[in-house]
């Protein structure tokens, strides 16, 4: 069989792509030469890191902000520029990035750092003490009489802390010549840290505000020049993507996804330009994929709660928690959880944006009632639930 990827009939138009010249800049992980509208935050990071060029361990830093506000990009950008400056000044500095969704325990993080720094450590099998000692030995004076200064970027630190506790921060902040930059979407993540660790962390905090529609438009304009062929985007495309993303709490990732998906729809249809209609349909596609992914990864009991809400919605019922529990018990039969546990499920589903709740008063002496409503497409919910 000939190589499927060289089939001219299937992929011949890849070489004559009238829409894209390079999709990579539309990926949120792409690091551009300049980060638009994050100069202030990058300067703050640099201010706290600059001491490392003189061989002084820099301050620990924490970046806060909602998803898509540029925290990861800014930290990587500052790290890249720091390494350039360190090389120019002959300073022995390393900046290592760890995404805590991939490395969720102290052992895994330390093993990965050791491997990045040239010491082989297995992903499992050693004691914690062995890994810690191997890591700390890296910071002894090397053959050239220099000591390594390391900055560790821990992205989505709250995930690691939730799963494995604050041991990693204790180890890193108590290791000579090591500083950490933590990234979190949640201002209250330090509730997961014990006081002794908070004391040794002693971090400087930088808040990343959401992007406004005009700022998002600037970001998309810059990326579109790198990604699309000339005169491909119709005038309304970038303002529409920006306005939609601004409603999603100023999420630049969402804006980039919208623009990329709109371009892919135009490409699939052999269109010559990307239009506002492509953007609207791209929004539907993204939301469809997002809801489908959430639904398929929910625990079975939460899926049953959603099935009960769907059935009551189809019956045009006003959904109270009591009615929901009765319907849920019919579906679950002998495998039902308690009424109290249902409230936890409702709160979690509301946080995911799949349902909404509204507390109303029934009048004097009749108390208050929670009314539950679906916030996702009924047909999509039904198709996904019954295909799992």
């Amino acid at each position: 069989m000939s190589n499927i990827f060289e089939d001219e009939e299937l992929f011949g138009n890849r070489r004559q792509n009238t829409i894209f010249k390079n999709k990579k800049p539309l990926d949120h992980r792409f690091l551009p030469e300049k980060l638009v509208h994050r100069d202030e935050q990058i300067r703050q990071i640099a201010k706290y890191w600059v001491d490392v060029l003189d061989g002084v361990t820099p301050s620990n830093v924490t970046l806060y902000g909602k998803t898509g506000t540029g925290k990861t990009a800014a930290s990587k950008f500052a790290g890249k520029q720091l390494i350039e400056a360190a090389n120019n000044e002959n300073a022995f500095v390393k900046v290592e990035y760890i995404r805590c969704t991939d490395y969720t325990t102290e052992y895994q993080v330390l093993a990965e750092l050791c491997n990045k720094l040239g010491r082989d450590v297995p992903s499992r099998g050693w004691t914690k003490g062995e890994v810690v000692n191997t890591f700390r030995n890296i910071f002894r004076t090397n053959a050239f009489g220099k000591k390594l200064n390391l900055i560790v970027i821990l992205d989505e630190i709250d995930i690691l802390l939730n799963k494995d506790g604050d041991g990693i921060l204790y180890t890193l902040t108590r290791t000579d010549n090591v500083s950490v930059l933590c990234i979190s979407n949640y201002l209250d993540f330090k509730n997961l840290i014990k006081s002794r660790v908070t004391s040794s962390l002693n971090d400087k905090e930088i808040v990343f505000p959401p992007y406004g529609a005009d700022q998002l438009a600037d970001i998309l304009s810059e990326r579109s020049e790198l990604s699309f062929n000339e005169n491909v985007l119709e005038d309304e495309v970038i303002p529409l993507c920006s306005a939609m993303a601004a409603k999603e709490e100023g999420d630049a990732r969402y804006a980039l996804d919208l623009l990329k998906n709109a371009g892919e729809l135009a490409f699939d249809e052999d269109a010559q330009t990307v239009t506002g209609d492509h953007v609207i349909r791209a929004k539907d596609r993204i939301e469809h994929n997002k809801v489908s992914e959430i639904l398929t990864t929910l625990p079975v009991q939460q899926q049953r709660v959603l099935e009960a809400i769907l059935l009551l919605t189809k019956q045009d019922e006003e959904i109270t928690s009591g009615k929901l529990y009765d319907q849920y018990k019919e579906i679950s039969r002998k495998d039902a959880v308690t009424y109290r546990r249902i409230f936890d499920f409702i709160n979690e589903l509301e946080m995911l944006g799949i349902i909404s709740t509204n507390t109303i008063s029934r009048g004097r002496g009749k108390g208050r009632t929670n009314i539950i409503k679906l916030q996702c497409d009924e047909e999509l919910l039904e198709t996904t639930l019954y295909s799992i």
Side-chain angles (χ1 to χ4, degrees):
M1 179 181 175
S2 60
N3 192 315
I4 187 67
F5 294 99
E6 295 175 355
D7 189 318
E8 287 292 328
E9 187 175 337
L10 285 174
F11 302 118
N13 64 344
R14 182 175 71 90
R15 298 184 181 87
Q16 303 161 14
N17 193 331
T18 58
I19 299 296
F20 295 105
K21 59 184 176 185
N22 184 4
K23 286 186 186 180
K24 195 171 182 180
L26 295 176
D27 190 314
H28 68 266
R29 292 163 292 192
F30 175 79
L31 197 61
E33 291 298 317
K34 183 178 186 301
L35 277 183
V36 182
H37 298 298
R38 283 298 176 248
D39 285 349
E40 180 185 343
Q41 287 77 15
I42 292 168
R43 285 182 179 278
Q44 284 182 275
I45 295 171
K47 181 178 71 174
Y48 297 132
W49 279 0
V50 70
D51 286 344
V52 78
L53 296 175
D54 296 319
V56 178
T57 304
S59 299
N60 298 312
V61 180
T62 299
L63 310 185
Y64 295 107
K66 294 183 181 295
T67 300
T69 52
K71 304 181 299 299
T72 300
S75 62
K76 286 184 173 181
F77 187 90
K80 181 182 176 183
Q81 294 215 324
L82 175 62
I83 295 303
E84 288 178 7
N87 290 337
N88 291 336
E89 298 193 20
N90 202 25
F92 193 19
V93 178
K94 294 264 187 188
V95 179
E96 299 295 351
Y97 173 83
I98 299 288
R99 187 169 61 182
C100 297
T101 51
D102 298 331
Y103 303 92
T104 57
T105 66
E106 179 182 1
Y107 184 106
Q108 290 175 358
V109 171
L110 291 177
E112 177 64 8
L113 287 172
C114 287
N115 291 326
K116 283 175 177 283
L117 297 171
R119 302 290 175 90
D120 290 336
V121 174
S123 58
R124 60 171 64 89
W126 285 16
T127 65
K128 177 183 169 182
E130 287 174 320
V131 180
V132 171
N133 287 335
T134 301
F135 175 69
R136 286 180 169 163
N137 283 339
I138 295 171
F139 298 92
R140 293 180 177 172
T141 304
N142 68 7
F144 301 101
K146 292 183 179 180
K147 283 191 176 180
L148 167 65
N149 279 280
L150 173 68
I151 296 173
V152 182
I153 298 173
L154 295 172
D155 201 350
E156 298 191 69
I157 178 68
D158 39 279
I159 290 174
L160 190 156
L161 295 175
N162 257 320
K163 179 172 180 181
D164 197 50
D166 59 9
I168 185 61
L169 289 180
Y170 185 79
T171 298
L172 293 176
T173 56
R174 297 299 178 97
T175 301
D176 291 341
N177 293 34
V178 176
S179 69
V180 295
L181 181 145
C182 299
I183 301 176
S184 178
N185 296 337
Y186 306 102
L187 288 170
D188 61 353
F189 94 92
K190 287 184 184 173
N191 293 337
L192 301 167
I193 303 175
K194 298 184 184 74
S195 57
R196 65 170 187 166
V197 178
T198 302
S199 176
S200 60
L201 182 63
N202 190 28
D203 58 328
K204 310 296 185 182
E205 299 180 343
I206 304 172
V207 176
F208 281 61
Y211 292 108
D214 290 344
Q215 292 176 320
L216 290 167
D218 290 341
I219 292 169
L220 294 185
S221 294
E222 181 186 62
R223 300 290 185 96
S224 66
E225 287 181 13
L226 301 172
S227 298
F228 292 96
N229 290 315
E230 287 187 24
N231 303 317
V232 161
L233 299 183
E234 295 198 354
D235 290 343
E236 74 268 29
V237 169
I238 286 178
L240 189 54
C241 288
S242 305
M244 287 178 172
K247 289 181 180 178
E248 294 289 329
E249 300 184 311
D251 187 341
R253 292 186 186 184
Y254 184 73
L256 289 166
D257 281 346
L258 269 177
L259 188 55
K260 181 181 178 182
N261 275 270
E264 288 174 342
L265 283 171
F267 174 76
D268 291 343
E269 295 167 2
D270 292 326
Q272 297 301 305
T273 59
V274 184
T275 68
D277 178 64
H278 288 124
V279 175
I280 292 166
R281 286 190 282 133
K283 179 177 184 290
D284 292 339
R285 175 198 272 187
I286 291 170
E287 290 180 355
H288 182 284
N289 292 341
K290 180 181 176 182
V291 172
S292 295
E293 183 180 347
I294 290 171
L295 293 177
T296 53
T297 55
L298 286 175
V300 171
Q301 294 290 358
Q302 287 193 6
Q303 289 175 359
R304 289 174 183 168
V305 170
L306 273 177
E307 185 179 349
I309 294 172
L310 176 63
L311 290 171
L312 291 171
T313 301
K314 283 178 167 294
Q315 296 165 18
D316 288 328
E317 291 271 3
E318 182 183 68
I319 307 175
T320 63
S321 49
K323 283 182 181 177
L324 172 58
Y325 189 64
D326 289 340
Q327 184 69 60
Y328 158 78
K329 282 196 299 182
E330 281 188 36
I331 294 168
S332 301
R333 299 185 182 178
K334 294 182 179 180
D335 190 32
V337 299
T338 64
Y339 182 70
R340 183 184 294 273
R341 184 74 176 114
I342 288 293
F343 284 100
D344 294 332
F345 292 158
I346 290 170
N347 288 335
E348 289 164 13
L349 292 171
E350 185 171 28
M351 285 180 64
L352 291 169
I354 298 174
I355 65 170
S356 66
T357 63
N358 184 32
T359 304
I360 63 171
S361 174
R362 293 298 193 189
R364 196 167 190 176
K366 294 184 179 179
R368 300 165 71 83
T369 305
N370 273 334
I371 303 299
I372 301 156
K373 290 184 178 180
L374 270 181
Q375 293 298 311
C376 65
D377 183 73
E378 285 182 40
E379 187 176 339
L380 171 59
L381 176 58
E382 185 171 23
T383 302
T384 307
L385 280 177
Y386 294 130
S387 65
I388 296 172

